[in-house]
Amino acid sequence: MIAKRHIVLYLMPAVIFTLLFFVFPLIFAGYISLQQWNGINEMVYAGLDNFKLVFQDPVFIKAVINTLLWVAGAVLLHIPFGLLLALLLARQPRGWKVFRVLFVLPNVISTTAIAFLWYFVLHVNLGLVNNILKLMGLGALARPWLADLKTALFAHQLPFIIYAGLTMVVFLTRISAIPAELNEAAKIEGATNWQKDWYITIPLVKDAVLINIILNLAFCLRMFEYPLLMTGGGPANETVNLGLYMFKEMIIANRYGVSMAAGLMTIAVGAVVTGTTLALSCIMDRRNGI
């Protein structure tokens, strides 16, 4: 009896926090998504009309596509770059501790500050990028990176790469748990460092890849500072994402019901992507006999 009471006491904080910060807000969002409400006047029941408005809004469709492009960039570029950094630092070259700190440092700096910094780096007149191109005699390549339809989406996603330090730390933690005997045996057999990385390290950090995919997915779904501060979602809604779409619908358009409906759709997108990732991971493990 006492043991059961202790288990309940240990679980209570987790249960309370889950209820307060996930279950209750989710229920409230579901309720508001069925209402027509501007945040001040009395709510009017709208049923599924808010969801119809969301699905019929081309800006929302564009926001979904851009958010998925953020996720694709994280999976195909950001995570491999973090893995490469981890593999290099795992060899402990000279000054590796300093580089580890430098790579992690951007993760503790305000996202707003970094967004403003990159806004001026890419500014059409004051920007560092265009001025360097002009100094190198490549002025023809200078352009309004954040205002050009062809480059705006890529340009405002570019700062995301500096957060590779967190991905790197997750990989480094997993690499440090690999038994040293495996690498020593491979070294005796004459394997190079890159061969040891390819045949030993990378296959053994697959669980860290899954963790990083989920962490990066969470960041991409909740992120709206970069499009808000760097482009405002423009030009022509080219850089709007789900986070910014919800913000504009709630704060600017005062359509709380539509914003909450879009929020639930964002949760659904995250659940689908996460579920797909987990399913693919299970299929791969079964094929490998794990």
Side-chain angles (χ1 to χ4, degrees), residues 242-278:
L242 286 171
L244 183 59
Y245 181 86
M246 289 185 288
F247 174 82
K248 286 187 172 183
E249 287 296 327
M250 178 180 289
I251 304 301
I252 298 177
N254 290 325
R255 299 199 298 179
Y256 281 66
V258 175
S259 178
M260 292 299 102
L264 293 178
M265 292 301 99
T266 302
I267 295 174
V269 170
V272 169
V273 176
T274 303
T276 303
T277 302
L278 293 174

Side-chain angles (χ1 to χ4, degrees), residues 141-159:
L141 298 178
R143 62 179 62 206
W145 301 97
L146 297 174
D148 192 325
L149 288 172
K150 297 179 180 179
T151 60
L153 183 61
F154 167 76
H156 97 291
Q157 288 179 327
L158 189 61

Side-chain angles (χ1 to χ4, degrees), residues 1-289:
M1 187 67 181
I2 296 177
K4 291 183 178 179
R5 186 180 303 172
H6 287 170
I7 293 174
V8 172
L9 290 175
Y10 282 129
L11 291 178
M12 280 301 294
V15 173
I16 292 173
F17 275 97
T18 301
L19 290 174
L20 287 178
F21 297 105
F22 181 74
V23 177
F24 291 156
L26 186 61
I27 294 174
F28 181 73
Y31 175 74
I32 298 298
S33 69
L34 301 176
Q35 311 294 324
Q36 184 179 351
W37 187 42
N38 62 3
I40 299 176
N41 298 330
E42 186 177 352
M43 297 182 187
V44 177
Y45 181 73
L48 298 177
D49 289 347
N50 290 326
F51 291 91
K52 293 179 182 178
L53 288 173
V54 166
F55 284 117
Q56 293 173 357
D57 189 353
V59 179
F60 175 77
I61 304 302
K62 184 67 174 178
V64 173
I65 295 173
N66 286 344
T67 301
L68 291 178
L69 288 175
W70 270 88
V71 174
V75 174
L76 301 177
L77 299 175
H78 185 83
I79 293 178
F81 182 60
L83 176 58
L84 177 62
L85 292 177
L87 293 174
L88 293 174
L89 292 185
R91 299 175 186 176
Q92 299 186 359
R94 180 178 299 178
W96 70 278
K97 292 184 179 180
V98 175
F99 286 106
R100 183 179 60 183
V101 173
L102 291 177
F103 285 130
V104 176
L105 189 60
N107 292 277
V108 299
I109 300 177
S110 168
T111 307
T112 301
I114 294 178
F116 274 122
L117 174 64
W118 278 89
Y119 171 79
F120 286 106
V121 169
L122 297 170
H123 193 276
V124 59
N125 295 320
L126 305 175
L128 181 64
V129 173
N130 282 346
N131 284 317
I132 289 178
L133 290 174
K134 292 175 182 178
L135 288 174
M136 296 174 61
L138 300 174
L141 298 178
R143 62 179 62 206
W145 301 97
L146 297 174
D148 192 325
L149 288 172
K150 297 179 180 179
T151 60
L153 183 61
F154 167 76
H156 97 291
Q157 288 179 327
L158 189 61
F160 185 37
I161 198 65
I162 69 174
Y163 293 105
L166 181 59
T167 302
M168 176 198 70
V169 168
V170 174
F171 280 125
L172 276 176
T173 303
R174 184 64 186 88
I175 291 173
S176 65
I178 296 176
E181 293 82 2
L182 295 177
N183 286 312
E184 291 175 358
K187 185 177 180 180
I188 293 174
E189 293 295 330
T192 64
N193 287 330
W194 289 113
Q195 287 175 329
K196 288 187 290 185
D197 290 337
W198 183 258
Y199 293 105
I200 297 177
T201 305
I202 294 179
L204 292 177
V205 298
K206 289 188 298 183
D207 50 349
V209 173
L210 183 61
I211 293 172
N212 276 319
I213 289 176
I214 295 175
L215 290 176
N216 280 273
L217 172 63
F219 179 88
C220 292
L221 289 177
R222 66 177 174 78
M223 187 279 309
F224 79 103
E225 293 93 335
Y226 287 129
L228 174 67
L229 299 175
M230 296 178 68
T231 62
N237 293 314
E238 183 66 22
T239 60
V240 68
N241 67 348
L242 286 171
L244 183 59
Y245 181 86
M246 289 185 288
F247 174 82
K248 286 187 172 183
E249 287 296 327
M250 178 180 289
I251 304 301
I252 298 177
N254 290 325
R255 299 199 298 179
Y256 281 66
V258 175
S259 178
M260 292 299 102
L264 293 178
M265 292 301 99
T266 302
I267 295 174
V269 170
V272 169
V273 176
T274 303
T276 303
T277 302
L278 293 174
L280 291 175
S281 177
C282 291
I283 293 173
M284 292 178 64
D285 287 343
R286 288 179 181 177
R287 287 183 177 179
N288 295 328

